[in-house]
């Protein structure tokens, strides 16, 4: 099967790129290695859509997404992606936290983000469930959260409705060049697909696939864990985080709280299937109860884990490749690719269509490590 653009990986990045291409009448084929679309980080993540605490090289992508895409996304995709733009509180309780948060807030503000430091009392006026332990916070009123499963599936369904083809259970093992340009995509089942452009959006596995045409993106696979609680009545809608990044989360539309966790042991996780440990949820719950005592009696109903594609310098590679014309890389999202995914899908389609991109991508080039 041939297509103008072949996308490797059916996560939110691949699905968003497919949607934008199909909308422009480009023929698209998405090859997903697992049996299920969105089986990677895209449907396992914490749903944060934040500018605060983000590397300046990535900020234009999230600012574009928040200004131009997230507020319209439910209508665009005909799917409720449960986007709430109710702000982000990043919490602290020590002078060291104050220092960390002030540094992050100053850096973001210098790049045009509306984020500022507030006192513990000001934070409690925004979120009355916060304990007296909170002495400082950064506050970004334009940040928010969305439902990762709904957003990924929304992009997938609308891309299909617009004519994009998806094949799941089709694991890509090799790219091949013809006359010097990336052209063929070979799968484990022996099928060979041909495209004018190939977008590589297969998370960490992109490293091995890119290596078949001699390109290396320095990435590691690192575990991230999440928990979800039983549903309770509405309490608050802000996205939450902490100075130490030991937990982050929000209350979802149907009442559950979803918290991303960090125990510090993630780099030592066993390779293979991503499994949640017995340590991270209990460690994070102690932190959550310290800041939100009213959540102490809400039951945790499930934990899960997912891999992130951690890039050497913690920001993604979103780039054409000069040595391999036709190849476009979109990987290394380092645990924060969900919030920027609407703009990433757009710019990937623009790269594939040889158009000027809506956001300058020069800081995210593949050859920056040289
Ligand atoms: C627990 C957790 C919490 C997170 N929290 C947040 C958050 O709050 N905010 C935020 O912005 N980001 C968050 N992230 C990160 C975010 O989920 C990712 O950056 C984003 O989903 C990346 O999307 P993707 O499409 O590149 O990757 P993926 O969703 O991993 O998609 C890659 C796809 O490629 C497929 N694939 C792999 N190998 C092959 C192959 N050989 N052939 C074909 N297909 C292949 C995979 O099966 C997968 O479906 C979190 C991630 C995790 C795991």
């Amino acid at each position: 099967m041939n297509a103008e653009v072949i996308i490797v990986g059916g996560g939110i990045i691949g699905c968003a790129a497919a949607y934008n291409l199909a909308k422009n009448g480009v023929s698209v084929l998405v090859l997903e290695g697992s049996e299920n679309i969105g089986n990677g980080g895209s449907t396992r993540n914490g749903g944060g859509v934040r500018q605060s605490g983000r590397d300046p090289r990535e900020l234009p992508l999230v600012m574009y997404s928040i200004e131009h895409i997230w507020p319209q996304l439910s209508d665009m995709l005909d799917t409720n992606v449960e986007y709430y733009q109710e702000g982000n509180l990043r919490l602290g309780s020590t002078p060291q936290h104050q220092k960390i948060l002030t540094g992050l807030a100053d850096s973001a503000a210098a790049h045009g983000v509306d984020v500022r430091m507030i006192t513990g009392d000001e934070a409690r006026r925004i979120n009355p469930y916060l304990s007296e332990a909170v002495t400082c916070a950064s506050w970004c009123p334009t940040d928010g959260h969305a439902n990762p499963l709904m957003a990924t599936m929304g992009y997938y369904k609308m891309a299909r409705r617009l004519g994009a083809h998806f094949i799941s259970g089709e694991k890509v093992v090799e790219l091949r060049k013809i006359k010097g340009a990336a052209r063929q995509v070979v799968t484990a089942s022996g099928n060979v697909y041909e495209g004018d452009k190939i977008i590589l959006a297969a998370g960490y596995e992109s490293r091995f696939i890119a290596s078949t045409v001699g390109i290396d993106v320095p990435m590691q696979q690192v575990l991230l864990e999440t928990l979800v609680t039983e549903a309770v009545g509405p309490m608050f809608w802000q996205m939450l985080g902490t100075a130490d990044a030991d937990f982050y989360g929000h209350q979802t539309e149907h009442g559950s709280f979803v918290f991303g966790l960090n125990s510090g042991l993630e780099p030592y996780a066993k390779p293979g299937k991503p499994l949640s440990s017995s340590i991270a949820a209990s460690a994070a719950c102690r932190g959550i109860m310290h800041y939100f005592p009213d959540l102490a009696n809400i039951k945790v109903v499930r934990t899960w884990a997912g891999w992130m594609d951690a890039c050497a310098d913690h920001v993604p590679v979103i780039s054409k490749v000069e040595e391999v014309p036709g190849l476009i890389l979109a990987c290394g999202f380092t645990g924060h690719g969900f919030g920027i995914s609407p703009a990433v899908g757009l710019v990937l389609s623009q790269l594939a269509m040889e158009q000027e991109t809506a956001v300058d991508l020069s800081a995210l080039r593949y050859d920056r490590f040289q």
Side-chain angles (χ1 to χ4, degrees), residues 39-50:
N39 190 36
S42 294
T43 56
R44 297 164 190 259
N45 72 61
V49 178
R50 60 170 175 80

Side-chain angles (χ1 to χ4, degrees), residues 8-14 31-34 36-50 54 170-173 201-203 205-206 209 224-226 239 248 260 304-309 330-331 333-340:
V8 183
I12 195 162
I13 300 298
L31 301 174
E32 163 56 39
S34 75
N36 301 303
I37 295 298
N39 190 36
S42 294
T43 56
R44 297 164 190 259
N45 72 61
V49 178
R50 60 170 175 80
R54 208 174 265 277
E170 192 67 320
K171 186 177 175 178
V172 172
V173 292
E205 281 75 8
S206 304
I209 300 169
L224 290 175
E225 295 192 46
T226 309
M239 185 72 193
Y248 55 92
W304 67 86
W307 295 116
M308 72 155 151
D309 42 349
C331 54
F333 288 92
T334 317
H336 29 84
F338 176 66
I340 60 176

Side-chain angles (χ1 to χ4, degrees), residues 14 27 31 39 99 110 119 131 149 151 181 191 209 219 231 279 287 290 308 329 350:
S27 68
L31 301 174
N39 190 36
K99 201 172 151 195
T119 63
S131 74
L149 184 64
N191 292 324
I209 300 169
M219 287 189 277
I279 295 173
H290 184 52
M308 72 155 151
L329 299 170
Q350 291 166 331

Side-chain angles (χ1 to χ4, degrees), residues 105-294:
D106 287 351
S107 161
H111 289 87
V113 180
D114 177 12
V115 56
R116 60 183 184 278
M117 287 301 293
I118 58 176
T119 63
D121 285 342
E122 287 172 313
R124 276 179 286 281
R125 278 199 282 281
I126 293 167
N127 186 319
Y129 294 94
L130 280 174
S131 74
E132 291 293 326
V134 174
T135 54
C136 60
S138 67
W139 170 236
C140 179
T142 52
D143 278 353
H145 53 82
N147 183 319
L149 184 64
M150 298 306 286
T152 304
M153 289 300 133
Y155 270 121
Y156 162 67
K157 284 192 294 183
M158 191 51 86
R160 281 194 62 171
R161 217 190 279 179
L162 292 166
H165 291 275
F166 287 74
I167 307 178
S168 56
E170 192 67 320
K171 186 177 175 178
V172 172
V173 292
E174 188 186 352
L175 305 180
R176 282 188 197 146
K177 294 196 257 186
I178 292 185
K179 293 185 184 156
R183 175 117 202 123
Q184 292 186 331
V185 179
V186 185
T187 66
S189 52
N191 292 324
V192 180
Y193 301 89
E194 282 208 20
D196 300 329
K197 300 277 162 56
I198 298 167
I199 297 177
L200 188 49
Y204 175 69
E205 281 75 8
S206 304
R207 183 168 194 178
F208 301 104
I209 300 169
S211 74
T212 63
V213 284
I215 298 299
D216 188 34
V217 179
M219 287 189 277
Q220 277 181 327
Q221 198 176 38
V222 177
L223 196 79
L224 290 175
E225 295 192 46
T226 309
L227 68 79
V228 63
T229 72
E230 64 182 328
V232 294
M235 291 173 73
F236 53 85
W237 299 109
Q238 301 93 33
M239 185 72 193
L240 308 168
T242 67
D244 284 337
D246 46 353
F247 71 84
Y248 55 92
H250 65 275
Q251 187 172 22
T252 65
E253 197 165 288
H254 76 282
S256 295
F257 282 89
V258 173
F259 281 109
L261 324 168
N262 204 337
S263 68
L265 296 176
E266 291 75 13
Y268 308 99
K270 284 191 195 139
K273 196 175 171 191
L275 296 174
S276 51
S277 67
S278 58
I279 295 173
S282 48
C285 283
R286 282 194 290 276
I288 294 165
M289 290 188 292
H290 184 52
Y291 283 165
F292 293 96
D294 285 6

Side-chain angles (χ1 to χ4, degrees), residues 297-347:
N297 293 321
I298 299 176
K299 292 185 182 62
V300 174
V301 294
R302 200 157 61 90
T303 64
W304 67 86
W307 295 116
M308 72 155 151
D309 42 349
C311 201
D313 62 354
H314 313 296
V315 292
V317 170
I318 303 171
S319 176
K320 291 184 183 179
V321 178
E322 265 156 37
E323 299 91 323
V324 191
L327 177 61
I328 298 166
L329 299 170
C331 54
F333 288 92
T334 317
H336 29 84
F338 176 66
I340 60 176
S341 58
V344 175
L346 174 66
V347 297

